[in-house]
Amino acid sequence: MATHEEFEAAAQRAQQLPTKPSNTVLLQLYSLYKQATEGDVTGSRPGGFDFKGIAKYDAWASLTGKSKEAARREYVELVNSLFAV
């Protein structure tokens, strides 16, 4: 389990990645961060031509039911793996 301090440190490190991750990885980072900090997705799914908003919403919604603790742990592991490459 990742502590709150480890999670916050990983969030800071994520802002300093040496290269920009793929869109898939960016969506993983976003959805895990949101699940860890806010829990299950809220609000309505964006519509129309807001493709970025739809992708972000769907990525977060895919984690529905995952505990904040599990999301924190996975987020820290993902950030650490991005620096190991």
Side-chain angles (χ1 to χ4, degrees):
M1 180 170 71
T3 66
H4 182 71
E5 291 77 22
E6 290 170 325
F7 175 75
E8 290 299 322
Q12 291 296 318
R13 287 184 74 206
Q15 301 298 318
Q16 302 164 358
L17 290 170
T19 59
K20 182 178 179 185
S22 69
N23 286 339
T24 301
V25 173
L26 288 173
L27 285 171
Q28 285 179 298
L29 287 167
Y30 171 81
S31 60
L32 286 168
Y33 183 87
K34 293 292 276 186
Q35 190 71 19
T37 57
E38 298 183 29
D40 290 343
V41 69
T42 57
S44 301
R45 184 176 189 255
F49 293 102
D50 184 5
F51 300 117
K52 185 176 179 180
I54 291 169
K56 290 168 80 174
Y57 182 93
D58 289 348
W60 185 10
S62 73
L63 300 180
T64 297
K66 183 180 294 283
S67 71
K68 287 183 176 185
E69 293 77 19
R72 269 199 310 265
R73 178 181 42 79
E74 289 179 32
Y75 182 86
V76 170
E77 290 171 358
L78 178 56
V79 171
N80 288 341
S81 75
L82 293 173
F83 278 93
V85 172

